[in-house]
Amino acid sequence: MLVLSREVGERIMVGDNVVITVTRISPNSVRLGIDAPKEMKIARDELIGTCPKIQTGPEDVEHIGRKTIERNRNVFGD
């Protein structure tokens, strides 16, 4: 596992087409923005095994990940 220290506004590149940006740091959490291709499936790990809707197939994971990214784009203007 690669462990990095980042500050708000700093980015991490994953491969050629994924950018993770630290958007906010608070005492109990870190908010990340993820810019990735639409076909990439993105979901929080804790949702994969617990939400019945997500367990129906990978398309549900993609929908939730895409919804989160689109919401963040609207909030942060990316």
Side-chain angles (χ1 to χ4, degrees):
M1 174 186 297
L2 174 64
V3 178
L4 301 171
S5 297
R6 301 279 78 195
E7 294 183 15
V8 173
E10 293 184 327
R11 298 175 177 206
I12 299 168
M13 296 289 301
V14 180
D16 293 330
N17 55 3
V18 177
V19 179
I20 301 171
T21 305
V22 178
T23 59
R24 185 173 67 190
I25 300 172
S26 63
N28 297 319
S29 67
V30 175
R31 179 167 286 186
L32 302 173
I34 302 170
D35 187 15
K38 287 185 176 185
E39 61 273 5
M40 181 171 283
K41 297 173 179 80
I42 300 172
R44 295 188 335 242
D45 183 57
E46 68 271 16
L47 295 178
I48 300 298
T50 59
C51 180
K53 183 176 181 183
I54 294 175
Q55 292 178 5
T56 61
E59 61 279 352
D60 294 319
V61 173
E62 180 176 0
H63 170 73
I64 288 176
R66 188 64 24 215
K67 182 178 174 183
T68 300
I69 289 171
E70 292 304 321
R71 184 178 65 236
N72 286 342
R73 283 186 179 145
N74 292 335
V75 170
F76 299 112
D78 288 332

